[in-house]
Structures are given as structure tokens and as C-alpha cells.
Amino acid sequence: MSGKRAASLMAKQVAAGALACLMAFSALALASCSGGGSERVHLLVKVPRTGHDVVFDDEIVYADQVIRLMADEFCKTPEGGNVDIEVEVFEQNQYDSAVEDSFDTPKSPDVLYGDYFNISTYIHTGRVVSLGDVVSDEVRNDVFDYLWDMSTVEGKVYMMPYLLRQNVLAYNKDLFRQAGLEEYIQDGKIASWSLEDWTSILDTLAERLPSGAFPMMMYAASSQGDTHTMTLLRSAGSSFFDESGHFSLSTPEGVAALDWIQGGVSRGWFPPHAENLEIEDCSSLFREGQLAVYMVNNASVSRYGDTVGLVNFPGPDEQGCATVFVSGFEVFDNGDARKVQAAKDFLSFVYGNEELLSYAAGTLPASKSVSDAYSDQIPYFDLFQENSDNVVDFTGSNPDTRAVRDIFYQCIHELLMGNTTPEQAAERIDRECNEAIDAGVAASVLHE
């Protein structure tokens, strides 16, 4: 990094640090922009409290720090000279209260940053504007094509991808060694095991692990982390969704996967009463060395160092499968054309500024140029990039993911308790989740 760039970044870090301190007293901050004109535009940008790593800046620990930096830089431009940007942080479990419940109030967001599987729902409220005029040819060519596919509804781009995290499974090497499973430990790669191997491994762990340690994560107390359970339901060859994007588990492959999970309860694969656990409970067990297999992504795996190995979820083919969580931006129309234009100008500025795009370098950047520039600094970059062919879509064409998830986790809760058979669980998931999908489609309104 040049001395000039280092000085520039250091100055921004100081500003970001000062804003982070201010956040201790308030959940929001205002980037007040100087500039001409008598009538100013106020933008409210909302972002969930999200950890964030940057390979060249240890001062950045939360996503909102990056958003504030973007706002500060935009406000120095002619386009941003008349704009005040307020950044408000909300908790991860408060998307609806922070967004949809605030519509038609002064707290309605003009810009939202978040995970696609959460923010895509709002596209169907008719409030989220298409961003075709933000996506210049240069911007489109700089972002990986499959991310544009995930950002598009009915041919129009409604979300701007910024970064992504790829999710696979991690196994505790020490616990595997204790169980005599050294043959499965592989360094420097993301392994894949057949369902038969998985069954044998989990049975062996259940038999040989010390008291208080458990083979694999499982939880169903809420919808948190349910996408990992959905991914496990591909383990016997199920595609999970049909061609129309509806759930399709009432097949031999879908029922077999549900049976595999339910059988794991009696075989001792999971912590006791997993139906009452949250994903964070399993995360704590894994961090404490009491869980042999847990979910990680390319950003979180570094915290474990050489103590873990990586493996794909058991999947429909021999390579297994992984998932990606994309994070990015969308713009809302709150009835003020000047705000909509200012929000678009803000995003145009961000996606035209490689230095701001580079703050995604810590996870997997959406930008090809940033990926090229920082691939040798981003932990495990090549490993996860090579595994991208094994990524599966866990949302289908669902316009209301949260409504579906509220149903899905309850079905898994009952399955783990033994209150329903795999066949009954498959039928209920297909029926009730598909009803929610159809209701979402019927209620969907896209911005004109």
C-alpha cells in the first residue's frame, strides 16, 4: 500500500473510530455534508449490527463503520454536497420492526444494507426501486455474473451485491483424532464425504467422544440458522426445490434426509434436546471444543486457526454442497423523488470507487477487481473460490423467506421431538411452506 493511500486510510480509520465511540451513546450518527443549495436532502441508511473484517484495516469491526465511511466520502462530492446521511444500526432479529414496520413514518429507510435472504423480501412490497441506472456497464462487468442473477427480479436489478460469505462445515481435528477418525482429516482443502461416510463418522463420534462432547450441531428453537438445516436436507439427493422454486421434500430423497436427521437423535449425534437449542448454543459448544462438527464461513474460519478442517455439507452428489450469504444494498421510495435520486447517487458513488469497494476484502468481495487485488490477503480465498461450483440456492424464488422460515423451523422442532414422522414432516413442509410462497407471490407488488 502506498504512503498516500495508507495516510488516507488512517485518516478514515480515525473518523470511523470516532463514530464508533459515538455509537456507544447512540445507535445512529449523521454524516453532515457541506455544500451549496438551500434545500438539503436527508437520507436514512439502516444496517443490521454485523461483524465485519477488512484485511488492511483492523479498526473496522462492524459493517456500519464501513457504511459511515462511505457516507462521509460521498458527502465530499458535488453530488453529495446537499445531502445529510444518517446511519442507524438495528439488531439482526429486528429486520421487520426496523424496515417494514417503519414504512410511512420518518424512520422509514431510504437505503438498506443487509443479507439478501432478509432484504429480498422487501422488493415485493413495491417500495424498493430498480437500480438499472446505477448499474453501468463498468459496474456490471466488475461484479460476478451469478451475483447479478441473485440481485434480479423479473429482469430488473433491485439489490447491489457488496460481499458474500460461503458456508461449509468445520470439524474439530482433535475430537476426530480422539475418536480414531484421522483418515478423514485433510489439510488445505474442503473435503466431501458420502452420506454413508457421514453416517459412519457420526456414529463413531457418538460412541467414542468423551462425556459432554457431541458429534454435530442441531437446533430448532427458532428460525435462526435454519438455512443450514435446509442444506442438510439435500443429503440423500433431494433438490429441495422443484423447478418452480417450491419446496419438494415429499420424495424418496427428501423423506430419507428427514429420516436421517430424526434418526440422529436416537443415535446420539446431536446435543440433548436439540429442538430447544439455538444456533448460538451450538456455536458456543464448538468454540469450547464440545462439538465436533459445526458451520463456518470463509470469514469466521480464521478464528479457529489450524484446529479445524473443512468439509462440504452432504449433498445431492459426491462433491457435497455449500451455501452463500450475499450482503448488499437496496433503495426505498418513500414518496420523495429527491431522496430516491440522492440514494442512487450514493450507490453510484460507492460502486464507482474501488477504494470503498475494497472494504469488502475480508470476506469474498462482489467486485472482481477487488478480488484480484486482495486475493492473496483474504484468508482461504482460493479455497472457497474453487468451491463455488458446489454452492446451492437455499431461497428458491421465494418472495417471503421469513414467512417460510417461521413454518420450517417448527416442522423440524416437531421432527426432532419425535412428534411427527419424516413422511409427515415432508408433507407439512411442502404444504405449508408452499402456501406461504404462493401467498407471497399473490401479495407481491414491484415498484413501477
Side-chain angles (χ1 to χ4, degrees):
M1 185 183 302
S2 68
K4 182 177 179 181
R5 163 147 184 172
S8 171
L9 290 175
M10 183 173 293
K12 292 171 187 176
Q13 291 168 18
V14 171
L19 285 168
C21 292
L22 181 61
M23 229 182 75
F25 300 95
S26 170
L28 55 86
L30 190 66
S32 191
C33 310
S34 59
S38 58
E39 190 176 352
R40 305 187 67 75
V41 177
H42 178 273
L43 292 182
L44 177 58
V45 181
K46 290 192 175 183
V47 54
R49 192 177 307 281
T50 309
H52 189 89
D53 297 315
V54 181
V55 294
F56 55 77
D57 191 343
D58 291 339
E59 298 284 327
I60 300 293
V61 294
Y62 288 107
D64 61 283
Q65 290 175 273
V66 178
I67 308 301
R68 296 176 201 278
L69 179 58
M70 293 173 174
D72 287 343
E73 292 300 303
F74 174 65
C75 289
K76 298 174 185 176
T77 69
E79 295 83 0
N82 250 5
V83 182
D84 298 320
I85 299 182
E86 178 184 349
V87 180
E88 181 174 321
V89 180
F90 61 91
E91 299 304 323
Q92 283 281 356
N93 61 353
Q94 294 179 0
Y95 265 93
D96 282 344
S97 59
V99 182
E100 199 160 5
D101 291 352
S102 71
F103 286 166
D104 301 317
T105 76
K107 301 302 291 181
S108 182
D110 300 298
V111 179
L112 176 65
Y113 176 87
D115 292 328
Y116 271 24
F117 77 98
N118 283 313
I119 71 174
S120 62
T121 294
Y122 304 121
I123 295 171
H124 301 275
T125 65
R127 303 279 187 133
V128 178
V129 304
S130 62
L131 299 171
D133 46 351
V134 175
V135 186
S136 65
D137 289 343
E138 184 178 359
V139 170
R140 179 173 288 279
N141 292 333
D142 185 49
V143 171
F144 294 101
D145 288 341
Y146 75 97
L147 296 180
W148 287 127
D149 293 340
M150 297 175 69
S151 306
T152 301
V153 176
E154 294 189 10
K156 293 183 178 180
V157 172
Y158 287 92
M159 298 179 289
M160 297 292 289
Y162 187 67
L163 57 83
L164 56 146
R165 296 175 175 87
Q166 188 183 130
N167 296 266
V168 296
L169 295 170
Y171 54 91
N172 182 307
K173 292 180 180 179
D174 185 55
L175 291 180
F176 266 51
R177 291 188 185 101
Q178 290 183 46
L181 295 168
E182 292 91 341
E183 65 182 292
Y184 292 101
I185 297 176
Q186 295 178 287
D187 293 322
K189 68 174 298 183
I190 299 175
S192 58
W193 302 328
S194 69
L195 189 59
E196 292 73 22
D197 281 339
W198 271 102
T199 302
S200 175
I201 288 167
L202 294 173
D203 279 343
T204 301
L205 289 168
E207 177 185 352
R208 299 180 183 176
L209 284 180
S211 177
F214 311 100
M216 189 174 186
M217 64 184 190
M218 187 55 64
Y219 38 81
S222 73
S223 64
Q224 295 299 302
D226 58 352
T227 53
H228 308 129
T229 308
M230 293 182 185
T231 307
L232 285 172
L233 291 184
R234 298 173 183 259
S235 60
S238 170
S239 62
F240 196 77
F241 295 114
D242 64 17
E243 293 182 358
S244 69
H246 287 72
F247 282 66
S248 181
L249 290 174
S250 294
T251 63
E253 297 83 3
V255 171
L258 288 161
D259 183 62
W260 190 73
I261 288 177
Q262 188 178 56
V265 177
S266 59
R267 296 168 83 146
W269 292 354
F270 315 128
H273 300 291
E275 71 274 6
N276 296 324
L277 297 181
E278 298 279 1
I279 184 173
E280 182 55 36
D281 297 317
C282 290
S283 177
S284 297
L285 288 171
F286 191 69
R287 290 195 302 269
E288 295 299 320
Q290 296 175 262
L291 192 64
V293 179
Y294 180 66
M295 181 281 309
V296 296
N297 59 49
N298 55 285
S300 66
V301 66
S302 297
R303 71 184 59 149
Y304 300 107
D306 190 45
T307 65
V308 303
L310 301 176
V311 60
N312 277 325
F313 287 77
D317 58 39
E318 62 183 12
Q319 296 304 315
C321 56
T323 59
V324 292
F325 286 74
V326 182
S327 297
F329 299 88
E330 61 187 12
V331 171
F332 290 80
D333 184 351
N334 291 306
D336 187 332
R338 294 184 72 224
K339 283 178 173 259
V340 172
Q341 188 58 55
K344 288 184 175 183
D345 289 342
F346 171 59
L347 291 186
S348 293
F349 170 74
V350 169
Y351 281 82
N353 187 313
E354 187 170 336
E355 186 168 305
L356 293 177
L357 293 177
S358 70
Y359 278 81
T363 58
L364 300 177
S367 164
K368 296 176 185 176
S369 59
V370 173
S371 297
D372 291 342
Y374 291 95
S375 60
D376 60 340
Q377 299 179 49
I378 299 172
Y380 303 96
F381 179 88
D382 290 339
L383 203 60
F384 283 91
Q385 195 74 356
E386 291 168 3
N387 198 49
S388 60
D389 288 343
N390 299 316
V391 166
V392 296
D393 180 10
F394 61 81
T395 60
S397 56
N398 183 8
D400 192 350
T401 57
R402 285 189 304 285
V404 168
R405 292 171 65 200
D406 284 344
I407 296 166
F408 179 83
Y409 90 85
Q410 295 182 52
C411 297
I412 299 302
H413 183 97
E414 293 298 304
L415 182 77
L416 295 174
M417 287 190 70
N419 292 341
T420 186
T421 67
E423 291 81 5
Q424 290 169 335
E427 189 277 331
R428 181 185 173 192
I429 290 171
D430 286 352
R431 174 171 44 82
E432 295 188 15
C433 288
N434 288 339
E435 286 174 356
I437 290 174
D438 291 340
V441 170
S444 173
V445 178
L446 299 179
H447 188 272
E448 296 181 359

